[in-house]
Amino acid sequence: MPSEHRIVAIAAGHTVKVRRSRQPATRPGFVMVEKSHRAPFEVPEQRWQEAPVA
């Protein structure tokens, strides 16, 4: 499966290009994502679904 990249709004006015991680999120309703040079983190699944594909 190829990597899926999206431009996700992290906070008001702040967007980040991230890719979906292979590891599952620890909380229901969240998606684990990765950004280079930082540890994987979770974003709400709704925010991931609404983000445009990069």
Side-chain angles (χ1 to χ4, degrees):
M1 183 170 110
S3 298
E4 186 175 354
H5 291 82
R6 296 198 183 194
I7 301 170
V8 178
I10 301 298
H14 297 280
T15 58
V16 179
K17 182 179 177 183
V18 294
R19 71 180 173 95
R20 191 168 190 163
S21 178
R22 291 183 178 174
Q23 55 185 247
T26 57
R27 300 183 289 174
F30 284 80
V31 174
M32 187 70 73
V33 296
E34 297 178 1
K35 171 96 175 113
S36 59
H37 306 296
R38 70 174 292 169
F41 59 98
E42 296 176 335
V43 295
E45 188 170 6
Q46 181 180 2
R47 195 171 285 177
W48 172 262
Q49 295 295 336
E50 294 171 350
V53 175

